[in-house]
Structures are given as C-alpha cells and as structure tokens.
Amino acid sequence: GRGMAGESGFVAAVPKAEGGVGARSLARSRVGRVVEVRVRSLSTLADVQAINTQVAMALLQAGPGAIICADYRFASPFSCQVADAWAHGMRVANGRISGAALLLDPLNTMFNLQVERIVKCAGSPIRRLVTGLGEIQSWLGDSLSAAEWSGIETFLAAGDA
C-alpha cells in the first residue's frame, strides 16, 4: 500500500496465493507499542507460518506491553490446518501482549466464526473481536498514547487500499 512502510517501522508482507491489488497479509510495528496486523488470505500452512513469524518479530520490536490491532475485514475463510497453526501462533504470543483488538466485518460470517474459534483456542481474555473504531477505542483506548491511536486510525483507514 502507499505510504504504509514508515521509515522506522518494520514491514513484512505475505503474498496472497491469487495475487491482485492489495491482496496481502502483513504484520508490522510502526508507532509505539502497537503491532498492526492485516490478514487478507491465509491459504496454506506456509502463509500462516509466515504471518505468525512476522507478528512475533513485530512484537519484539514493539517491546513490553505490545498491543495488537488487527484488521481482518477483508479476509477470506481458511482451512482447519491453517486455523490450528494460527491458534498456536496466537498462544505463543499471549505472554508478549497487553491487549488486542481484532477488527471484523460483520458480513464476513464464515471467517468471523473461524476467528472466534481461534481466539477461544488461543486462551487469552485480552483479545477482543470488534466491528468498529468505537469498540477498539473502548477496549484499548486507556492504554494507548495519542500517537499510537493516531497510528491505528491511519492503519485502519488504509485497510481497503
């Protein structure tokens, strides 16, 4: 996407199998303790392993008390194998995060049911499924600086880019 890298931020992209404009998943630490995660398609185990690795690297860069803001509004449903590997990646990350908001499109029913199961399997009450900015602010707002919140707004505004 345009202007998404940030000069000091870590950016890693996982290409979608079919390709296409904006068809990629990424994880990065760009502002403060926030780790931005965008998932479009996790078609294979290699895809989910790559995004799990990139999330882990971004969490290290963000440092203690990292906060995940994930944009899953445009994601595609995935296989059971991918679900299991993604849940494992989330469990591994549990100890490194102080909060997580996972933004969903309410109309993406199948994907949402899958993510709900994965979050439950990850076993951490600090992850919340949300459908809008207001819910993100309610869930994470007290722990975010003004710069971190501004970074989240910029990240989410570019979600369909």
Side-chain angles (χ1 to χ4, degrees):
R2 290 167 285 164
M4 294 180 56
E7 290 182 20
S8 64
F10 172 81
V11 176
V14 180
K16 181 177 174 181
E18 295 91 47
V21 176
R24 64 187 185 136
S25 299
L26 63 85
R28 66 182 173 192
S29 175
R30 194 173 52 88
V31 180
R33 298 164 297 133
V34 175
V35 171
E36 300 167 345
V37 180
R38 178 170 290 122
V39 168
R40 300 297 180 129
S41 176
L42 299 175
S43 302
T44 66
L45 278 177
D47 290 342
V48 76
Q49 290 164 346
I51 197 71
N52 283 344
T53 297
Q54 301 311 325
V55 168
M57 293 171 67
L59 287 170
L60 287 173
Q61 182 179 351
I67 297 166
I68 291 178
C69 181
D71 185 355
Y72 298 158
R73 292 175 292 177
F74 304 98
S76 303
F78 44 85
S79 71
C80 291
Q81 274 188 319
V82 164
D84 292 344
W86 201 6
H88 175 75
M90 285 189 187
R91 281 191 302 277
V92 168
N94 281 346
R96 296 189 198 158
I97 62 175
S98 63
L102 315 178
L103 182 62
L104 305 175
D105 175 351
L107 301 178
N108 196 355
T109 309
M110 178 62 74
F111 177 85
N112 296 351
L113 289 170
Q114 290 178 307
V115 169
E116 187 176 341
R117 177 185 161 268
I118 287 172
V119 168
K120 185 176 181 181
C121 289
S124 176
I126 61 174
R127 281 189 186 84
R128 171 92 32 112
L129 302 176
V130 299
T131 57
L133 278 177
E135 289 179 86
I136 294 172
Q137 194 162 30
S138 295
W139 182 241
L140 299 176
D142 291 343
S143 55
L144 295 172
S145 70
E148 289 168 336
W149 178 246
S150 178
I152 285 174
E153 289 179 313
T154 300
F155 167 64
L156 295 176
D160 58 356

